[in-house]
Amino acid sequence: MIRTILLSLFVSVPVLTIASEPVRWSADSTQSSVVATHGKAGIGTGIDGKSWLLNGQTVLTPQDANSVLEAGEYSLVVWVNPYRLSSDQQIIAAKNRYSLDEREWSLMLDRNHRFSLYVHQNGWQTISGPVPELGHWYQLCVVIKPDQAELYVNGERSGSLKLDRPVQPTAAPLTFGGVNDDGIIRQTWHGAIDEVELRPQAISADEVKASYHPASSVHDVPKPPPPFPLWDEHSPLAQADDLPEVASVDFQVIKKWDKPRDGYTFLHGVALARHQGKLFASIGHNKGDENTVTEEAQFRVSEDEGKTWGPLQVIDAGAEENLAVSHGVFLSHGKTLWAFQGAYYGRMDNIHTRAYRLKESTGEWEPMGVIIEQGFWPMNQPVRMDDGNWIMPGFLGRRYSGDDVFPAAVAISRGEDFTQWDLVKIPVERTIDRMWGESSLWVDGPTVFNVARYGGDAKALFAKSDDYGRTWSPSGISNLPMATSKPAAGVLSNGQRYLVCTTAAGNGGNRSPLTIAVSRPGENVFCKVFVIRRSMNGDAPGESAKRLSLSYPCAMEHDGKLYVGYSNNGGRRANQNSAEMAVLPLESLQIP
C-alpha cells in the first residue's frame, strides 16, 4: 500500500558529517530531519524497508553533503526504480543550477531510455548504461575522481570518462529526483529512490561489485491511459535531421534582439494580423526580467509584407500601478482591429485579459478594459464557429511553479461583442501532474480540437469538445511528439489542419527545428511534418546558431501563404529573443 505524504523535510542519517566518513540517506530513518524537499513525495516499498516515491513534482536536497563533495573525489551510490520511459531527461541525482551557470554532473535516465552520467568539461561529456525495466530496482554508482568519472549499474561498470580537468565545484546543491534551478524544478524523476550513500573517496570496481545484491521486490507501475491518436500511426515520423523542408520560404525579421541599443532584455509572444492592407505584429517586451511588472505590449506595422517595419509602438505599458501588460493576440473583424493582451499585477499575480481597439484615425489603441479574469491568458487568435460565436484558446495561469498543473482553457464570445466572453476551463486527465497549458485549437463544425503544452513529457496534450467548446474531454497525452512550448494550430483554406511547434522523432524538449505538421484535407490527424527553419539558416534574414530555440509560434493565412511568427533566442538564454517571421507558400504544404 502506497501512502502519499507532504514532506516539508525528510530525514538523513549521516555516520559522521566530516569528509572522512560517508553520509547516508534513507526513507526508513526516524532521526532528526536534515533534508528539505520541494513538492510532494510518497512512501512505498524499498529494497529493504521503505523508499521515496516521486511523481515528477518533487526534488530532494540533502543539507549535509557539502563536506564530502568539497573533497573533490567521492562516490555516490543510489537505488532507483523507474516508473516511466519518456522523451525527456529524468534526473536521479545532480549538482547543477543551469540559470546560474553552475554545471557539474548529472546522473539520469536519459532521452534514449538509458541510465546515463553527464559530466561538465567545457560542455557535457556522457557515459551511457543499460535500458532499465520499469518497476525493477537498480543500484547505480557514480565515481568522481580528479582525472576520471565512472558509472556502474548493478555492480558492473558501464563506462568511464577521462577528465581534462577536475570537475569544477560550484555552489549548486546536490539534489535527488530533479534539479532545483534557482527555484524552478527541472528534469524530474518518476519512480522510487532508496538508500542513498555519498562516500568521500573513489571506491574501486571490486568494492562496487561486492556492494551489489539484487533486490527482489518489484513495483506495480501505474499504467497511463492510451495516448490519443493525433498522429497517423501508419505514417513514419523522421528524426529532425531527416525531415523535409518547406520549399520557397521567405524569412523576415520583425524585431531584432538588441539590448545594447534599446535596453530590452525580454521579448516573446509574436502575434500577427492583416488589417486594411497592412501587416501588424505585436510582442511582449521587457527591459527587466520576464514576467515582471515592467513588461509592455508593443507592436509594429509593415506595408510591404514584412520586408520593412515601422517604429516600435505601444499598445499598453501598464500605466496603472503595479500593472504589467504583455503579449497577446489580434483579431481583424470588419473594419476594426482588436488586440487581446495577457496582463497581470506584480510578478504574475491576478492574470487576466484586456481588450484594445485600434483607432484608425490616430493609430492609437483604445483600452476596452478587463474582459476575461480567473487567470486566462490568450495564446492564439479567436476563430469563428458555425454557431456565430468566436472561440479563443489560452490557459489559466498564475505565478509559475514547475510542479503544478496550469490547465488549458478557452474563451467564447457572445456573438460579435468582443468585450463579453465566457470562460471555459478544460479538465485535465488525472495522470497529468505537470502542465503549463498554453493551447491552440482548430474547429470542425461543432467539434473543437485543443492542443496544449505538456510539462511532464515532450508530447502534445489533446482535448476535444463536441458542443462548440462548452464542455470538454480531459486534456490527455497524445501520440504526437511536441516540444514543451506553445503551439499554433488551425485549418488552411484547402482543408488541411496544421500545427506549428517542434515535432520530430526522438527530439525531446528541444525547440529546434521549427516545424509544421499537416493533415490530409478534411482529416483531423496529422500525417506529415515539414521543417520551416533549422538553427543554422544560411544567409537568410534572422539569427543563426548551432543550438537555439525557435518557439512560441503564431500563424495566419493570407493570399495563398501562411505567415508564421516566432521567437528566436539566437543561442541566448531566458527568452532574450528576436521576433522573426517565415512566409510559407500553401502549395509547399500539400501532401501527394
Side-chain angles (χ1 to χ4, degrees):
M1 187 72 174
I2 295 174
R3 296 184 293 109
T4 300
I5 59 173
L6 174 64
L7 296 177
S8 59
L9 293 171
F10 86 85
V11 298
S12 163
V13 189
V15 176
L16 287 174
T17 57
I18 58 176
S20 60
E21 296 292 339
V23 186
R24 298 184 181 91
W25 300 276
S26 170
D28 295 309
S29 175
T30 58
Q31 301 296 316
S32 60
S33 299
V34 293
V35 178
T37 76
H38 180 102
K40 299 176 182 178
I43 294 294
T45 302
I47 58 170
D48 184 18
K50 301 173 183 177
S51 66
W52 297 289
L53 294 181
L54 310 184
N55 64 353
Q57 297 180 311
T58 306
V59 173
L60 313 178
T61 308
Q63 300 295 303
D64 49 355
N66 286 344
S67 60
V68 176
L69 296 169
E70 289 171 357
E73 181 171 303
Y74 49 86
S75 305
L76 178 81
V77 181
V78 57
W79 283 85
V80 297
N81 190 318
Y83 278 19
R84 179 183 295 181
L85 298 177
S86 72
S87 55
D88 258 355
Q89 295 173 323
Q90 298 181 63
I91 293 290
I92 297 162
K95 199 169 185 300
N96 308 306
R97 284 189 298 193
Y98 310 117
S99 63
L100 301 180
D101 202 24
E102 297 172 350
R103 293 169 171 82
E104 296 187 39
W105 55 267
S106 302
L107 175 63
M108 68 172 70
L109 187 55
D110 211 346
R111 295 187 182 99
N112 60 7
H113 303 164
R114 295 181 179 275
F115 289 125
S116 298
L117 174 64
Y118 281 63
V119 181
H120 198 261
Q121 294 273 292
N122 293 318
W124 291 108
Q125 305 295 319
T126 313
I127 304 171
S128 289
V131 177
E133 184 177 355
L134 299 184
H136 290 253
W137 284 102
Y138 295 84
Q139 184 201 60
L140 307 181
C141 178
V142 173
V143 179
I144 301 293
K145 306 175 186 178
D147 60 350
Q148 184 169 284
E150 299 170 334
L151 172 64
Y152 295 82
V153 179
N154 287 351
E156 300 294 330
R157 190 163 77 166
S158 293
S160 63
L161 281 173
K162 180 176 173 56
L163 304 182
D164 295 332
R165 62 176 186 176
V167 175
Q168 300 299 297
T170 71
L174 175 66
T175 55
F176 306 140
V179 169
N180 187 348
D181 190 10
D182 197 27
I184 303 298
I185 67 168
R186 304 187 188 279
Q187 301 165 287
T188 49
W189 171 256
H190 292 260
I193 293 179
D194 196 12
E195 299 300 330
V196 187
E197 181 179 45
L198 183 62
R199 300 188 186 184
Q201 64 270 334
I203 58 179
S204 68
D206 289 341
E207 289 176 301
V208 176
K209 183 181 287 290
S211 71
Y212 171 67
H213 301 283
S216 59
S217 67
V218 177
H219 284 198
D220 184 13
V221 178
K223 293 184 178 180
F228 183 88
L230 199 53
W231 175 260
D232 181 355
E233 293 286 6
H234 300 293
S235 300
L237 178 60
Q239 294 187 341
D241 289 345
D242 299 323
L243 290 172
E245 298 182 3
V246 181
S248 304
V249 180
D250 181 33
F251 294 98
Q252 303 294 344
V253 176
I254 300 169
K255 171 65 179 75
K256 179 183 177 182
W257 186 84
D258 197 8
K259 182 175 181 178
R261 290 177 179 268
D262 60 27
Y264 283 92
T265 300
F266 164 83
L267 185 157
H268 217 14
V270 180
L272 296 172
R274 288 279 308 188
H275 181 70
Q276 302 289 70
K278 300 176 182 179
L279 183 60
F280 286 73
S282 69
I283 55 174
H285 224 184
N286 201 327
K287 290 186 175 180
D289 293 334
E290 177 179 3
N291 298 336
T292 60
V293 75
T294 49
E295 215 140 300
E296 306 174 24
Q298 299 181 347
F299 76 106
R300 302 186 85 171
V301 182
S302 173
E303 299 186 19
D304 57 7
E305 303 302 316
K307 294 179 177 62
T308 62
W309 294 87
L312 201 61
Q313 302 176 73
V314 174
I315 298 174
D316 193 341
E320 182 182 333
E321 184 178 358
N322 211 32
L323 172 67
V325 182
S326 188
H327 54 80
V329 300
F330 285 127
L331 173 61
S332 176
H333 182 61
K335 295 183 178 180
T336 304
L337 180 62
W338 292 81
F340 306 107
Q341 306 297 132
Y344 54 87
Y345 289 91
R347 193 177 181 103
M348 294 286 280
D349 295 323
N350 189 22
I351 293 173
H352 57 279
T353 300
R354 293 174 176 247
Y356 304 82
R357 189 167 58 188
L358 183 66
K359 295 181 180 180
E360 301 288 344
S361 59
T362 64
E364 297 178 346
W365 292 89
E366 177 186 5
M368 305 299 292
V370 177
I371 57 166
I372 312 168
E373 298 185 275
Q374 300 180 51
F376 183 77
W377 194 320
M379 290 287 114
N380 282 275
Q381 66 268 26
V383 178
R384 191 183 186 280
M385 299 186 290
D386 291 344
D387 66 354
N389 299 320
W390 294 71
I391 185 166
M392 180 165 56
F395 79 114
L396 300 182
R398 59 186 186 277
R399 191 172 299 197
Y400 179 77
S401 170
D403 60 349
D404 209 342
V405 172
F406 300 84
V410 297
I412 302 172
S413 73
R414 298 177 186 174
E416 296 187 356
D417 183 353
F418 299 126
T419 64
Q420 299 292 323
W421 297 77
D422 297 323
L423 178 62
V424 181
K425 174 185 174 182
I426 298 177
V428 179
E429 183 71 46
R430 60 179 181 80
T431 55
I432 303 298
D433 50 41
R434 294 177 61 199
M435 180 179 181
W436 187 248
E438 298 161 334
S439 72
S440 58
L441 58 77
W442 70 90
V443 175
D444 186 1
T447 304
V448 186
F449 300 84
N450 182 279
V451 177
R453 172 181 175 176
Y454 190 15
D457 199 357
K459 293 287 182 67
L461 294 182
F462 176 83
K464 186 174 76 167
S465 169
D466 291 316
D467 57 3
Y468 296 102
R470 298 294 176 177
T471 61
W472 290 85
S473 68
S475 289
I477 299 173
S478 76
N479 67 342
L480 181 72
M482 189 182 84
T484 48
S485 179
K486 178 184 88 81
V491 180
L492 300 175
S493 56
N494 64 6
Q496 285 182 284
R497 282 58 169 158
Y498 69 86
L499 179 77
V500 182
C501 196
T502 297
T503 291
N507 207 49
N510 292 326
R511 294 181 172 187
S512 178
L514 183 66
T515 66
I516 179 168
V518 293
S519 73
R520 298 178 182 89
E523 296 186 359
N524 290 309
V525 292
F526 300 105
C527 61
K528 193 173 183 68
V529 175
F530 296 93
V531 170
I532 298 173
R533 70 151 288 181
R534 301 186 186 276
S535 295
M536 300 299 294
N537 203 30
D539 296 328
E543 295 189 86
S544 288
K546 290 183 178 180
R547 185 178 177 86
L548 48 69
S549 291
L550 305 167
S551 65
Y552 245 68
C554 68
M556 53 148 281
E557 182 183 341
H558 172 72
D559 195 24
K561 300 175 182 178
L562 187 68
Y563 292 70
V564 177
Y566 56 91
S567 294
N568 180 349
N569 75 353
R572 297 174 293 271
R573 298 175 184 166
N575 283 324
Q576 299 177 62
N577 297 313
S578 291
E580 298 180 2
M581 183 177 70
V583 184
L584 290 57
L586 293 193
E587 60 263 26
S588 295
L589 302 175
Q590 293 178 357
I591 301 173

